[in-house]
């Protein structure tokens, strides 16, 4: 975090997020839901309002659950919507909202934290691999 004021975000694990922020010099915690466009736009807006600028966006959020790859019938629509909203659409919405501010920064950038599951079907489930492959393409 050297040279940056780090803003930590979570939706559900508030106490953990606050603890991480408190462990960083000048760390700041902002709760927000990155599985919705409104939540992503609101998070970026609050970061800029509270910090004055945005230099670097790190997308590290994700959700998954274990579903054997050969059991596609166990994948329900609710889970598909949940995992795609956070793992796939969230990074896109965050990137889109952050881009005007990152363009103003001296050396603005975006870091996507993905998974080897984005390169081949592995990991907790096929939907998880699908969302990480989408993140890989967004990054390229």
């Amino acid at each position: 975090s050297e040279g940056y004021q780090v803003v930590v975000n979570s939706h559900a694990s508030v106490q953990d997020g606050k603890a991480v922020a408190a462990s960083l010099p000048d760390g700041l915690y902002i709760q927000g839901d990155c599985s919705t466009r409104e939540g992503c736009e609101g998070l970026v807006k609050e970061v800029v309002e509270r910090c004055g600028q945005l230099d670097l966006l790190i997308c590290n959020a994700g959700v998954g659950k274990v579903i054997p790859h050969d059991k596609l019938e166990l994948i329900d629509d609710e889970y598909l919507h949940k995992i795609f909203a956070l793992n796939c659409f969230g990074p896109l919405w965050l990137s889109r909202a952050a881009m005007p501010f990152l363009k103003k920064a001296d050396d603005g950038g975006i870091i996507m934290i993905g998974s080897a599951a984005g390169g081949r079907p592995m990991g907790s489930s096929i939907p998880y691999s699908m969302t990480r492959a989408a993140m890989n393409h967004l990054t390229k």
Side-chain angles (χ1 to χ4, degrees), residues 25-140:
D26 298 318
L28 175 65
Y29 176 79
I30 300 175
Q31 185 180 11
D33 184 359
C34 290
S35 69
T36 69
R37 182 180 52 79
E38 296 81 8
C40 291
E41 290 171 354
L43 175 61
V44 169
K45 180 180 177 188
E46 188 170 348
V47 167
V48 172
E49 285 174 355
R50 293 178 69 178
C51 299
Q53 64 190 55
L54 177 61
D55 297 312
L56 181 64
L57 171 66
I58 300 175
C59 295
N60 189 42
V63 65
K65 70 178 180 181
V66 176
I67 301 173
H69 288 217
D70 62 345
K71 301 288 184 188
L72 297 179
E73 68 275 9
L74 298 178
I75 302 168
D76 60 85
D77 289 350
E78 182 180 345
Y79 175 64
L80 277 176
H81 288 279
K82 179 180 178 177
I83 194 168
F84 270 83
L86 184 60
N87 294 12
C88 183
F89 301 140
L92 173 62
W93 292 324
L94 281 168
S95 298
R96 206 167 53 188
M99 196 58 67
F101 304 103
L102 295 173
K103 286 181 179 179
K104 293 177 186 175
D106 290 335
D107 196 20
I110 300 174
I111 298 173
M112 299 285 184
I113 307 297
S115 166
R120 59 189 178 112
M122 59 184 286
S124 60
S125 68
I126 292 294
Y128 180 81
S129 293
M130 292 167 63
T131 63
R132 291 311 184 196
M135 180 186 262
N136 288 349
H137 285 280
L138 172 62
T139 304
K140 293 176 184 181

Side-chain angles (χ1 to χ4, degrees), residues 16-28:
D16 291 337
K18 288 181 177 180
V20 170
S23 73
L24 301 168
D26 298 318
L28 175 65

